[in-house]
Structures are given as structure tokens and as C-alpha cells.
Amino acid sequence: MESWIRVLILVACLFPAVVECRVRHFKFNVVMRNTSRLCSSKPIVTVNGRFPGPTLYAREDDTVLVKVVNHVTYNVSIHWHGIRQLRTGWADGPAYITQCPIQPGQSYVYNFTITGQRGTLLWHAHISWLRATVHGGIVVLPKRGVPYPFPKPNKEVVVILGEWWKSDTEAVVNEALNSGLAPNVSDAHTINGHPGSLSNCSTQDGFTLSVESGKSYMLRIINAALNEELFFKIAGHKLTIVEVDAVYVKPFKIDTIVIAPGQTTNAIITADQGSGKYMIAASPFMDSPVAVDNLTATATLHYSGTLSSSPATLTNPPPQNATAVANNFITSLKSLNSKNFPAKVPLTVDHSLFFTVGLGINPCPTCIAGNGSRVVAGINNVTFVMPTTALLQAHFFNIKGVFTTDFPGNPPTTFNYTGAPPQTLQTINGTKVYRVSYNDTVQVVLQDTGIIAPENHPIHLHGFNFFAVGRGLGNFNPKNDTKSFNLVDPVERNTIGVPSGGWVAIRFLADNPGVWFLHCHLEVHTTWGLKMAFLVDNGKGPNESLLPPPSDLPKC
Ligand code: C2O
């Protein structure tokens, strides 16, 4: 394209209300920036010097081009979490899965079209622990002229929850890998980048949500934390939930939501209380004996006309182990399943898979602090080993020796998954994928194990949304539990919490050719190997086939 035309389009596209732009260009400069929180300052990796990073706004059907330029000394890749990437796996972003990382001084243009999706998602770095500070919102507006299936709120606000470490997060993960032990927990939670007043060390009260009496606000809440599920609530105000993971749900009102890393929730609030200030709180949810950062992040909902010196109405966050509060939210989620937004639940299953998810212990002669062993994690007893060539490249160019297609559909031995631990806690290492044909239907029962500790694992699948058709405590019982599956209006999402000591069943249609990562979205567990990939073969003809890679695809 002529460069003056490109400039003209770029300028015009800054005014989406005036001009319809089907192609949106963004530039993400990955740069270091000194940032202070909790009375100390450290250099962090950012996009465009911002923390959290810029929100990417687009519309359904838009083509998005993001030029990512790596100005830091780390390798970088960016994932557009929840964007389906139909036939464009090259733009998905997980390092060594769909692309080699962008090396220092290099750049890569992520090029994808947003098809059949609208709502809130997030983008984040997908290599090592860089997503701690390299993340931001994605807002996909409905096609022009298509309304929300609920009354349009007066205003919309992106609310990003995160975690802050005083030390460098790359040092935190490297120390854990050397010792074989669990990494340190974070030092604070954040709401739009700020821990707020409860951290005893803030120069300000944190993020302020300014409201006008009588108006309604849609909060696009994103959990961008590395390792912690969070409760979120606002003193004196009910949340009306209308969407999760960019899929509409049947609206319901609730006091407290729970949101796992990688998940998003759209909640509408009405400023219907007496003017004043009200506390917004984000606090950890962990219902198993695992260490967490127990600090509550706070922000303030501020009615216009209220003096800034007036005290805020406080709220008590739920206790850390409040399983019932979490379940109350989770079991209320149902697909909207309307004429315009039907729930297309697969009613038959071509691949019925049973995946145990949990921890293990492997020998590690160099792990001195860990006494010669290290904590690992895996699926069906396989601890995933990252390749040095991206799986998608190996698949497309038929490079042998990078992965094998023998990922097991069942655990190697059956045991009482949520009871006493099995004889050996050791896992096997491997770079294994599970292969399916185009348009196959897949059911995966994700079963938590009690090995070391039962724990809630938020499992994320790239390339697809899935339906959460069943959920329960203890061991999944195929005879009885299948009968109570919801095949009518189950929630549709891209990240689902496997309850501590329980299971969840998901179904999806493999209508997207490529290699798609599935992993726990607690970065600590991903690091330990709780990950695998699906390989979906091409269907018939070009419309059912993976596109060829772009010419600037990074090299390893
Ligand atoms: Cu949001 Cu593979 O991750």
C-alpha cells in the first residue's frame, strides 16, 4: 500500500465514531520503565511504558494488526487471550507453541481477524513470567448497529486486577526453578495497577471510579494476576453479571464475584446509593492449604459531589477459603442461549478424554534447597517439556523430532485422585500433543488430584471456547455424573476453574486447524509443566486449513 494512504487510514481510524475502519493498526513497543509501588521502585517490562498496558479496542469482524517491537533484553511474545485466531495460529502468541519468541531488537506483526466474538478479553506476554507486568485489556465492541442484549450502560470502564512483586519476577521464577521449591507469593494485589490504601504504603488511595448518581456503569473486569484467583466486590452495590470471557450470560445480580487469572467478567452497577465513597476490594480466593498473598487491593467508587476527604463506606472481603461464596457465583453462570446468541453445545462426543491435573515430585540432583527433588506439575502424569522449535512450525513444515502425538487420553493408572496419594509421585517428561481431525467434538473431564495438595486450577484452552457441561467434588463418576450434564445452556468460556478436590467437564468443537495450547493459568503451575497441546488437522480445502506463516514470523 502507498505510504500516504496508510497514514490517511491510520489517522481516520482514530475516530471510529466517524469512520468505519475494518483494519486497525496498533504499535506495541516493549520497553523497560521504572515504576514505584509499595514504597519501592524497580524497572519493569511494559508495553509503551504503561502499567497496566494500553487497552486494545476493536469491533467484531475487524482485522487487527499489532506491530510488537522488542526493545528489552528478554525474548518476548504476546498472546491475545480468548481471541479464537481462526486459521491464524501464527498470531496466537505462546512462545515455542505457535511461534518462536521475538528476540531483542526484533519485531513481529500479529495479524488476525476477530470473527464471531465480542466482549472483554485480555492480551499478555506469553513467555516465562513477563505477563506479570506485560498485560492489558481487549475490548471487542459488537458490530456497528448491533446492540448489547441488555440495556446499554451509561459508561464502560476497564478494571484490571493484578499482582505486584517488590522483586523482579524473572528472578523469582528462576530462583524457584533452581531450588525446586515453590516461588515466592506476590507482595500485593492491584486494581488498575494500584494496591490502594490497605497496603500501608501507598502514596495515594489507588484507583478511583468516579460515578454520577443514577447512572449505570459496565465494569469490564479482567484478572491479569499470575497466580491468584480473586474475589471482587464493591461496598453497598450489587453487580449484575452480563458476560464472561467475551460470551453473554443470563444476567443475574450478586454481591461478590470470583475471577481466575485469564478470566474476564462484565458487571453492571447502578449508582443508586447515597452519595459518598465506597470501597472496592479484590482479595485472594484459595480453598486449599497453599500459601497466598493475603493482602486486599482496594479502590474507591466516588459519587460526584462527594468531598474527597470524606471516609469511604468499607466492605469486608470474603475469607480466603470462602468456597461457598465462589460456588454461588460459578453455579449462577449460564449461557444467554438466545435466538441471536445460541449455545451451540456439542451433543455428541468423538473424543472422550479424562485428564488428571495436579502436582508431582521428580528427582533433581542440583536442587539443593529442595533436597534433591523438585515440585513439578502435569496432565495425565506427563510434565510438558517446552520444545526449542515452535510446535506449529514443526507441524506446518513437517519437522520431525519436535513433538510426538501420543499424549494419553487417560491417566496411566487409576487411583483415588482426590484421596490418599498414589505410590509414586513421579511424572514423565515429554512434548506430547493430542491429535484430532477437523470438526471432531472433544469432551475433556479435568480432574484435580490431591497430590501434595488439592488445588483450584484455572485451565485455559487456546483457539476455542468450550462449554462447561458439568462440575463436581471428589472423583468424576462417568456413570452418574454424565447424567446431570447441562447440554442446554452451560456457560461458554475459554478459562475454567477445576474446583479444589473436584472435576469439571468441558466440550468443544475442533473447528480451528492448528496447534492449541491447554494449560493451567496459574503461572507457577504452567512453569512446573501443567500444560499440553491439541493438534487439529486441516479439514477440506483452503477455508478449513491453517494459513501459511507470515514472512516476518520470528526465528528461534
Ligand atoms: Cu492467557 Cu496460554 O494464556
Side-chain angles (χ1 to χ4, degrees):
M1 203 189 316
E2 296 276 354
S3 64
W4 66 270
I5 300 181
R6 197 188 296 269
V7 169
L8 199 70
I9 292 175
L10 273 174
V11 172
C13 288
L14 294 175
F15 304 95
V18 185
V19 199
E20 184 69 355
C21 281
R22 304 296 298 275
V23 180
R24 289 179 200 263
H25 294 260
F26 299 89
K27 183 139 183 218
F28 277 22
N29 281 311
V30 181
V31 291
M32 299 303 294
R33 190 194 127 177
N34 246 340
T35 304
S36 54
R37 296 285 183 279
L38 305 176
C39 310
S40 65
S41 164
K42 65 167 183 176
I44 59 169
V45 185
T46 67
V47 163
N48 299 349
R50 293 173 57 185
F51 174 72
T55 301
L56 193 152
Y57 285 92
R59 243 180 225 290
E60 184 179 343
D61 285 348
D62 283 351
T63 294
V64 172
L65 289 105
V66 190
K67 180 171 187 181
V68 177
V69 189
N70 182 359
H71 299 280
V72 302
T73 56
Y74 300 105
N75 283 343
V76 167
S77 75
I78 307 280
H79 170 49
W80 320 92
H81 178 121
I83 298 280
R84 292 222 36 216
Q85 303 291 1
L86 290 163
R87 300 169 53 225
T88 53
W90 308 107
D92 191 37
Y96 302 107
I97 304 298
T98 58
Q99 67 165 100
C100 295
I102 309 167
Q103 293 175 22
Q106 305 292 307
S107 67
Y108 178 45
V109 179
Y110 290 87
N111 181 345
F112 55 90
T113 300
I114 304 172
T115 307
Q117 299 184 274
R118 74 302 299 166
T120 309
L121 294 167
L122 67 156
W123 56 265
H124 60 77
H126 209 307
I127 184 164
S128 193
W129 278 29
L130 291 186
R131 77 175 166 90
T133 56
V134 181
H135 61 247
I138 299 177
V139 173
V140 182
L141 298 170
K143 290 182 219 189
R144 191 167 291 281
V146 177
Y148 294 133
F150 45 82
K152 189 176 161 41
N154 294 101
K155 212 178 158 204
E156 302 186 3
V157 184
V158 173
V159 177
I160 301 184
L161 313 180
E163 274 177 283
W164 183 264
W165 273 260
K166 285 185 185 163
S167 44
D168 172 22
T169 42
E170 290 304 291
V172 171
V173 58
N174 287 332
E175 188 192 306
L177 287 175
N178 289 333
S179 70
L181 301 175
N184 291 342
V185 299
S186 54
D187 297 300
H189 296 107
T190 54
I191 300 176
N192 281 347
H194 295 281
S197 54
L198 294 191
S199 70
N200 331 319
C201 190
S202 24
T203 45
Q204 51 146 316
D205 287 343
F207 173 70
T208 300
L209 174 62
S210 304
V211 300
E212 275 174 58
S213 193
K215 298 228 157 118
S216 61
Y217 297 82
M218 181 157 79
L219 309 184
R220 295 178 175 272
I221 306 162
I222 297 167
N223 187 345
L226 282 191
N227 293 327
E228 294 187 356
E229 303 206 23
L230 295 166
F231 288 119
F232 178 90
K233 65 189 293 200
I234 306 179
H237 293 75
K238 289 237 186 269
L239 304 163
T240 301
I241 310 306
V242 293
E243 176 205 307
V244 295
D245 294 6
V247 184
Y248 297 128
V249 298
K250 291 193 176 74
F252 63 95
K253 273 193 171 50
I254 201 154
D255 290 317
T256 308
I257 68 161
V258 68
I259 184 164
Q263 293 184 325
T264 63
T265 303
N266 283 9
I268 297 178
I269 57 163
T270 305
D272 56 4
Q273 298 299 302
S275 67
K277 297 199 313 190
Y278 297 83
M279 183 201 257
I280 303 174
S283 64
F285 167 49
M286 174 59 78
D287 58 355
S288 68
V290 174
V292 287
D293 165 2
N294 59 12
L295 276 184
T296 299
T298 63
T300 311
L301 183 132
H302 191 141
Y303 279 72
S304 67
T306 307
L307 288 179
S308 50
S309 59
S310 58
T313 303
L314 301 182
T315 184
N316 276 327
Q320 184 180 303
N321 62 356
T323 310
V325 176
N327 282 348
N328 185 30
F329 172 72
I330 293 164
T331 57
S332 301
L333 294 169
K334 300 271 186 286
S335 276
L336 181 60
N337 193 26
S338 63
K339 189 164 147 276
N340 291 339
F341 302 100
K344 294 184 185 152
V345 189
L347 298 178
T348 57
V349 170
D350 296 317
H351 301 262
S352 180
L353 311 178
F354 184 79
F355 285 5
T356 55
V357 295
L359 306 184
I361 297 179
N362 282 356
C364 170
T366 58
C367 293
I368 299 178
N371 243 331
S373 53
R374 65 159 73 250
V375 182
V376 294
I379 303 176
N380 281 351
N381 222 44
V382 181
T383 292
F384 187 89
V385 177
M386 291 307 267
T388 49
T389 302
L391 299 184
L392 191 61
Q393 283 171 299
H395 165 57
F396 189 84
F397 294 109
N398 211 358
I399 306 167
K400 301 280 176 238
V402 178
F403 63 82
T404 54
T405 54
D406 56 347
F407 189 88
N410 284 285
T413 52
T414 51
F415 59 99
N416 179 2
Y417 308 110
T418 52
Q423 286 279 298
T424 168
L425 305 184
Q426 203 169 324
T427 65
I428 63 154
N429 291 327
T431 308
K432 298 174 184 295
V433 305
Y434 189 91
R435 187 170 197 164
V436 305
S437 300
Y438 184 83
N439 264 353
D440 279 357
T441 51
V442 183
Q443 173 176 293
V444 190
V445 174
L446 297 155
Q447 170 75 59
D448 182 33
T449 74
I451 296 173
I452 303 184
E455 206 176 324
N456 189 325
H457 296 282
I459 302 292
H460 172 49
L461 175 61
H462 289 229
F464 304 94
N465 283 343
F466 51 74
F467 293 91
V469 296
R471 179 178 190 270
L473 282 184
N475 298 337
F476 174 69
N477 176 330
K479 269 208 193 85
N480 295 331
D481 291 330
T482 317
K483 288 183 205 143
S484 54
F485 280 2
N486 175 0
L487 302 178
V488 176
D489 62 355
V491 67
E492 177 183 348
R493 55 191 324 170
N494 63 56
T495 307
I496 186 88
V498 179
S500 296
W503 57 272
V504 68
I506 63 171
R507 283 191 186 182
F508 65 96
L509 173 68
D511 59 353
N512 194 6
V515 176
W516 304 107
F517 213 11
L518 174 136
H519 61 91
C520 180
H521 217 278
L522 304 183
E523 207 54 52
V524 50
H525 295 159
T526 316
T527 303
W528 283 341
L530 213 170
K531 46 195 169 185
M532 58 81 67
F534 283 99
L535 191 166
V536 181
D537 281 314
N538 286 336
K540 292 186 203 80
N543 288 339
E544 298 182 357
S545 298
L546 175 67
L547 290 165
S551 59
D552 62 340
L553 186 73
K555 295 193 179 40
C556 282

